[in-house]
């Protein structure tokens, strides 16, 4: 089975991890700072704070920006659960925003309709690595005094108007799960331009202990103070060593992802039963975390699930990204229902993500293409061909 995504681990990654295992620090040592500096510099941000997962990054970002009970956070329903769940962690309410017609990113017209006096923030997702229209997000945020937290779990290396995603809003979060662009096994980060927020994020990931006091600790003093409630969201030195080693290859990984998607776009452009993902122009760069296609299930005479089962049975590990968050039973119990986000609900019925990861060989890519082409109605019913 060709999976939809997987990590690329080379000898240099293994060596970096082994060296750290043999060093004085397994956690909270020099590799944390080094990885943070490398990441900040890669995305063009002033500060990066690494944490134990992308989900922890969202929790930390929402908390440190002061979001809490009584507040509403606009989140696209077409995202991974964590974008919304983290709102609940801080006691805020996620308000689900629909997708653009025939698109995967959030519809800002729908976002505007759902703003209330309680709306305090918006968390756009650069879905699959496609940058959202940040100028429009920021205009909306300015008009309604909203904080902007970009969920860039899909978008390491993506560019908006010639600038890397990571320094353009109040905070931007990344994930280093193995299917993402670079991995630390589990891991995440928040980037920001604001030194005070960065400091609060460091405090949040370490039990809420005032890090200024903690630094004095290095000067042979025991004193510490927990001035806020925090968590243990630290990322280990072992993981940061892996992250550092991976980040050196981020551009190469991204180039390979783009190459594969170019091959897909060309091979599929003539297939009338597929709608292909948007390709970027105007100084925007897609980071191609996923290659999501939309099926014309009527033309195909097959449902999305039919196609899913069929491709899987042929060794193509397709996946569905995502079931709209608001349709999950937990969120139904909180009052969400079908019809809240009609575009995303329709989109969901027709989507599949094809395998895409840097270590895919040309041969694997050709196998995927060949299987997808064989979905053609004519090809699937050879008895009926003219
Ligand atoms: C992967 C992902 C996350 C969560 O990241 P973890 O590191 O798995 O916790 C959040 N948002 C989106 C859109 C993601 O794809």
């Amino acid at each position: 089975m060709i999976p939809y995504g997987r990590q690329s681990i080379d000898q240099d990654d293994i060596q970096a991890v082994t060296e750290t295992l043999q060093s004085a620090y397994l956690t909270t040592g020099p590799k944390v700072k080094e990885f943070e500096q490398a990441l900040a510099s890669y995305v063009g941000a002033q500060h990066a704070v690494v944490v134990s997962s992308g989900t922890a990054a969202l929790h930390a970002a929402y908390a440190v920006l002061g979001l809490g009970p009584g507040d509403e956070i606009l989140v696209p329903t077409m995202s991974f659960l964590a974008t919304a769940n983290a709102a609940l962690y801080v006691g805020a309410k996620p308000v689900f925003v629909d997708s653009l017609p025939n698109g995967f990113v959030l519809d800002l017209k729908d976002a505007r309709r759902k703003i209330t006096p309680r709306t305090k923030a918006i968390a756009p997702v650069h879905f699959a690595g496609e940058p959202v229209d940040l100028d429009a997000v920021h205009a909306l945020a300015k008009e309604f005094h909203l904080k902007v937290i970009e969920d860039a779990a899909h978008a390491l290396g993506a560019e908006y108007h010639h600038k890397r995603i990571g320094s353009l809003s109040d905070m931007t979060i990344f994930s280093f799960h193995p299917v993402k662009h670079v991995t630390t096994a589990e891991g995440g980060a928040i980037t920001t331009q604001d030194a005070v927020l960065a400091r609060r994020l460091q405090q949040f990931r370490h039990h809420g202990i005032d890090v200024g006091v903690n630094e004095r600790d290095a000067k042979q003093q025991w004193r510490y103070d927990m001035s806020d409630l925090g968590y243990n969201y630290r990322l280990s030195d072992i993981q940061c060593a892996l992250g550092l080693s991976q980040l050196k290859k981020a551009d190469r990984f991204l180039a390979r992802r783009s190459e594969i998607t170019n091959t897909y776009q060309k091979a599929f452009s003539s297939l009338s039963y597929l709608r292909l993902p948007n390709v970027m122009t105007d100084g925007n760069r897609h980071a191609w975390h996923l290659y999501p296609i939309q099926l014309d299930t009527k033309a195909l005479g097959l449902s999305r699930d039919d196609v899913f089962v069929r491709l899987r049975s042929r060794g193509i590990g397709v996946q569905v990204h995502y079931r709209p968050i608001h349709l999950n039973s937990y969120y139904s119990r909180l009052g969400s229902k079908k019809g809240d986000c009609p575009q995303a609900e329709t989109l969901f019925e027709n989507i599949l993500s094809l395998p895409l990861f840097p270590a895919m060989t040309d041969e694997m890519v050709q196998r995927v293409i060949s299987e997808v082409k064989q979905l053609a109605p004519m090809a699937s019913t050879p008895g009926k061909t003219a």
Side-chain angles (χ1 to χ4, degrees), residues 22-61:
Q22 292 167 325
S23 76
Y25 291 93
L26 296 186
T27 192
T28 318
K31 293 298 170 193
V32 174
K33 267 270 154 309
E34 272 183 60
F35 183 38
E36 287 179 337
Q37 280 165 2
L39 182 70
S41 131
Y42 184 78
V43 304
Q46 292 289 319
H47 308 278
V49 177
V50 294
V51 290
S52 52
S53 69
T55 306
L58 283 161
H59 183 187

Side-chain angles (χ1 to χ4, degrees), residues 73-373:
I73 305 177
L74 296 164
V75 301
T77 193
M78 189 46 82
S79 179
F80 181 59
L81 296 161
T83 321
N85 288 354
L88 298 179
Y89 299 163
V90 298
K93 179 183 174 191
V95 172
F96 295 107
V97 179
D98 207 351
S99 312
L100 280 174
N102 286 313
F104 289 87
V105 297
L106 82 178
D107 178 358
L108 291 171
K109 286 204 196 83
D110 191 53
R112 176 181 286 272
R113 275 194 293 273
K114 287 170 175 166
I115 289 175
T116 75
R118 292 166 173 255
T119 312
K120 294 290 156 56
I122 183 165
V125 175
H126 304 293
F127 193 98
E130 175 185 346
V132 305
D133 182 351
L134 283 176
D135 283 349
V137 169
H138 292 148
L140 188 74
K142 192 161 180 218
E143 187 179 341
F144 293 97
H145 307 287
L146 309 179
K147 302 288 185 192
V148 179
I149 305 97
E150 292 171 53
D151 183 336
H154 297 185
L156 185 69
E159 290 175 18
Y160 179 74
H161 292 182
H162 301 286
K163 280 206 183 115
R164 284 248 169 97
I165 298 289
S167 67
L168 307 174
S169 297
D170 295 298
M171 289 192 191
T172 306
I173 77 93
F174 296 93
S175 164
F176 309 123
H177 182 276
V179 296
K180 305 287 165 64
H181 294 80
V182 301
T183 189
T184 60
E186 297 284 357
I190 310 98
T191 57
T192 177
Q193 299 300 82
D194 185 320
V196 174
L197 291 180
R199 204 146 180 96
R200 279 200 228 136
L201 289 166
Q202 290 168 357
Q203 185 168 352
F204 189 82
R205 79 167 163 205
H206 184 52
H207 307 280
I209 294 171
D210 186 305
V211 284
V213 177
N214 200 38
E215 275 159 11
R216 283 203 291 280
D217 208 59
K219 298 175 191 154
Q220 313 302 336
Q221 292 187 16
W222 63 265
R223 236 167 287 279
Y224 62 86
D225 183 44
M226 181 193 133
S227 53
D228 273 304
L229 184 61
Y231 293 75
N232 177 354
Y233 277 167
R234 297 185 303 265
L235 194 62
S236 72
D237 256 43
I238 304 169
Q239 290 169 292
C240 290
L242 178 56
L244 262 169
S245 168
Q246 288 265 301
L247 195 59
K248 289 182 189 142
K249 297 177 279 191
D251 285 335
R252 179 149 62 76
F253 289 163
L254 185 49
R256 179 61 183 152
R257 286 177 180 276
S258 301
E259 194 173 61
I260 295 166
T261 51
N262 279 337
T263 309
Y264 279 161
Q265 297 282 117
K266 278 191 203 119
F268 299 146
S269 61
S270 62
L271 302 183
S272 58
Y273 53 88
L274 295 189
R275 176 190 274 272
L276 305 179
N278 292 329
V279 178
M280 294 291 102
T281 50
D282 298 338
N284 287 1
R285 183 173 190 196
H286 204 301
W288 293 117
H289 162 55
L290 299 172
Y291 188 79
I293 55 170
Q294 298 174 56
L295 303 165
D296 184 342
T297 50
K298 272 208 195 86
L300 273 171
L302 296 168
S303 72
R304 186 273 315 283
D305 288 351
D306 292 338
V307 176
F308 179 92
V309 169
R310 178 165 155 165
L311 288 175
R312 285 244 165 177
S313 76
R314 314 273 296 181
I316 310 299
V318 286
Q319 192 51 277
V320 175
H321 298 99
Y322 296 95
R323 181 185 193 197
I325 300 174
H326 74 281
L327 296 182
N328 286 272
S329 56
Y330 185 83
Y331 283 102
S332 307
R333 291 207 296 282
L334 298 185
S336 293
K337 57 190 182 309
K338 211 165 180 176
D340 287 352
C341 298
Q343 295 289 348
E345 290 164 20
T346 307
L347 182 69
F348 162 59
E349 298 294 335
N350 302 317
I351 49 176
L352 271 185
S353 300
L354 298 183
L356 175 60
F357 51 96
M360 265 184 103
T361 61
D362 291 343
E363 220 178 310
M364 290 174 176
V365 174
Q366 290 308 323
R367 252 183 70 202
V368 173
I369 289 171
S370 149
E371 291 297 340
V372 170
K373 282 187 167 171

